[in-house]
Amino acid sequence: MAAKRKSGSSEFARAERAAKFILSKTKLRPRIGLVLGSGLGAFADEFSGATRIDYKKIPHFPVSTAIGHAGKLVIGKVGDVAVAGMQGRVHFYEGYSMQDVAFPMRVFGRMGIRAVILTNAAGGINTGYKQGCLVVIRDHINLFGANPCIGPNDERLGPRFFDMTTAYHKPYGNAAVEEGKRLGLNIYEGTYCIIGGPSYETAAEIRAMRALGADLAGMSTIPEVIAARHMGIKVLGISCVTNMAAGVLDQPINHQEVLETGERVKGQFVALLRAVIPRMAKDVA
Ligand code: HPA
């Protein structure tokens, strides 16, 4: 049985409706989707031959309330690769359910997207990281506890039980590390962890996360990764360390600083995405 939702229709039917609406606005048929987190949305303004669609026009699509999120889906080309880029995402701290947060991945899946790049801003738990560095996410720890696949499973979206040992597609991660090094970027690899937000973590929470093996603290991405893997979509995750996590430095965490670091590193982040996209495109062609 399909999960029944607020509108009365199944998640599958709602995703199908949103996907059809989006594809009716463009001739492009992207196989790669991007979620551009805080401050990175401007990358989608550089897509060529772009069609821009306000989230609020897309049936059932959740609309972001976060500052610095444009709330548009941009379908266009990066070089000669067609992509669909989300300028901003919704988070559960905005009051959305895990299913709502993951819904854009459902739509991506129904659009024929086979690979996603999920980006975010994160706090650096690993003391080897530096503020402003980029980290390829190799694995995650979900301390939030909830999961977008809770509820009756719809086999049309994916199986009831599915593997998460290789949630982050290794060859994509390797390609990102290689391209990052080639570009001379400060690039690392690590495990991403969320509690949920919107409060930043306490220093004790960060120590606990470090003891568990986490390198990065964030507030997003994991629900999208789970839904993507449920549908068999391959995932590359990249974090920008906008600040060192709570207690790492002897100073409080300041949202303004998080935004400013994201802004400062944006050029490097975009260069990395531009380098990785053609390599992923070969895989999903
Ligand atoms: N913690 C959680 N999420 C974040 C952080 C942080 O320190 N910085 C940016 N996003």
Side-chain angles (χ1 to χ4, degrees):
M1 191 190 80
K4 292 285 178 204
R5 303 279 308 159
K6 285 169 270 192
S7 64
S9 57
S10 69
E11 189 171 27
F12 179 89
R14 289 179 304 118
E16 190 77 3
R17 203 168 151 232
K20 281 204 173 118
F21 173 84
I22 294 161
L23 293 180
S24 74
K25 306 285 178 206
T26 171
K27 288 198 171 64
L28 296 177
R29 291 295 175 265
R31 289 183 155 256
I32 296 179
L34 286 89
V35 178
L36 301 167
S38 330
L40 255 196
F43 176 42
D45 294 332
E46 300 174 20
F47 296 175
S48 58
T51 301
R52 290 162 220 287
I53 311 171
D54 277 325
Y55 292 167
K56 55 179 183 290
K57 296 228 170 89
I58 304 172
H60 314 293
F61 218 76
V63 178
S64 169
T65 62
I67 302 161
H69 289 245
K72 280 192 174 66
L73 178 69
V74 185
I75 299 172
K77 285 189 162 188
V78 174
D80 55 11
V81 180
V83 298
M86 286 175 59
Q87 292 182 309
R89 57 155 67 82
V90 301
H91 305 81
F92 20 75
Y93 64 71
E94 295 175 73
Y96 290 98
S97 68
M98 286 292 257
Q99 278 87 354
D100 288 332
V101 173
F103 185 70
M105 295 303 109
R106 303 303 191 188
V107 177
F108 273 178
R110 298 314 305 158
M111 286 169 61
I113 278 174
R114 304 307 311 142
V116 287
I117 307 180
L118 306 174
T119 68
N120 60 51
I125 299 175
N126 185 323
T127 52
Y129 293 168
K130 294 191 178 50
Q131 191 177 9
C133 73
L134 297 176
V135 184
V136 172
I137 303 175
R138 290 300 198 169
D139 208 339
H140 75 221
I141 301 173
N142 181 9
L143 294 184
F144 186 65
N147 188 306
C149 295
I150 288 173
N153 187 58
D154 189 331
E155 292 283 332
R156 294 171 296 179
L157 292 172
R160 169 81 292 181
F161 301 104
F162 53 99
D163 179 60
M164 289 292 284
T165 11
T166 52
Y168 297 81
H169 193 58
K170 264 203 187 115
Y172 292 176
N174 295 347
V177 171
E178 277 169 35
E179 294 301 327
K181 287 193 175 140
R182 198 179 55 76
L183 290 163
L185 306 180
N186 213 358
I187 192 136
Y188 297 84
E189 301 169 56
T191 295
Y192 178 83
C193 182
I194 61 169
I195 295 184
S199 48
Y200 290 116
E201 300 73 22
T202 64
E205 284 167 342
I206 292 298
R207 286 195 301 275
M209 286 157 90
R210 183 182 297 119
L212 290 175
D215 300 297
L216 298 156
M219 302 182 192
S220 67
T221 307
I222 290 180
E224 288 122 304
V225 173
I226 295 170
R229 293 311 303 145
H230 184 226
M231 292 179 292
I233 297 172
K234 293 176 184 169
V235 174
L236 170 63
I238 310 175
S239 293
C240 170
V241 174
T242 50
N243 56 284
M244 293 314 287
V248 174
L249 306 176
D250 188 20
Q251 62 189 47
I253 295 167
N254 170 322
H255 183 59
Q256 195 54 38
E257 182 189 343
V258 169
L259 295 178
E260 280 166 16
T261 309
E263 190 59 34
R264 181 164 62 75
V265 183
K266 195 166 72 181
Q268 293 179 24
F269 213 143
V270 167
L272 181 61
L273 297 178
R274 281 193 180 281
V276 170
I277 287 170
R279 295 187 58 169
M280 290 173 61
K282 282 196 194 116
D283 179 58
V284 292

